Amino acid sequence: MEYKYELVQADNHFPLKIIVHSSNEPAYIPGHWHDSIEISYVLSGRIDNIYIDGASYSSKEGDIVLINSNAIHSFSVAKGKGREAITVLIPSEFIRANVNDSNPISFDCISLFETNEQRLQHFAELRDLLNTLFVAYLKA
């Protein structure tokens, strides 16, 4: 299997890149990697398969899946109505500039199987932030 490196460039209005997915048609984004941190957030419907470095996930409305820098990942969705998701790509330079740590930065941020109450509260706060970011992006 061949994977491709994706060069991610930030949007003009934000220090990150936002992609809105709203097609009802089947889609497949082949395996690739990039330096950016990627957050997949399902607003409605589902993503049938998210592959990340050997693990596969299925996400539905409200689910958050964070993909760390340089992780090989792909997405596939079957045909489905009312499907909407956003992808937020945060360039590694932005994270390094805002985090005072020289070590590689890695996050454990997948809401799918979370049961810890404190982490569930953090995911609720992150959902609020992602919703606010989505509204701001649509107005930009």
Side-chain angles (χ1 to χ4, degrees):
M1 177 144 240
E2 186 176 319
Y3 303 108
K4 295 193 173 173
Y5 177 78
E6 178 186 3
L7 177 63
V8 175
Q9 294 185 301
D11 291 326
N12 292 335
H13 304 293
F14 295 102
L16 39 88
K17 182 177 182 75
I18 298 173
I19 304 167
V20 179
H21 310 276
S22 59
S23 171
N24 294 328
E25 295 305 310
Y28 175 68
I29 299 169
H32 64 283
W33 79 95
H34 40 70
D35 295 335
S36 297
I37 301 279
E38 181 168 338
I39 300 172
S40 172
Y41 175 49
V42 179
L43 297 161
S44 62
R46 63 184 293 115
I47 299 173
D48 298 298
N49 186 278
I50 303 173
Y51 168 90
I52 308 168
D53 280 344
S56 290
Y57 306 93
S58 177
S59 61
K60 63 186 182 325
E61 183 175 329
D63 285 340
I64 298 168
V65 175
L66 184 143
I67 301 159
N68 281 297
S69 292
N70 299 313
I72 294 174
H73 57 286
S74 65
F75 296 86
S76 63
V77 292
K79 191 170 184 155
K81 289 210 180 288
R83 192 173 57 220
E84 190 167 42
I86 60 170
T87 298
V88 179
L89 293 148
I90 307 168
S92 56
E93 304 82 43
F94 178 82
I95 292 173
R96 279 195 297 270
N98 289 283
V99 174
N100 197 8
D101 193 346
S102 60
N103 295 317
I105 299 166
S106 181
F107 297 95
D108 174 16
C109 184
I110 297 178
S111 70
L112 306 179
F113 312 110
E114 190 57 62
T115 57
N116 177 285
E117 280 301 320
Q118 184 176 11
R119 285 182 54 92
L120 286 169
Q121 182 58 41
H122 291 163
F123 278 115
E125 292 169 17
L126 182 54
R127 274 184 206 93
D128 288 344
L129 291 170
L130 289 168
N131 287 327
T132 301
L133 182 65
F134 180 57
V135 170
Y137 175 76
L138 292 178
K139 289 180 180 176

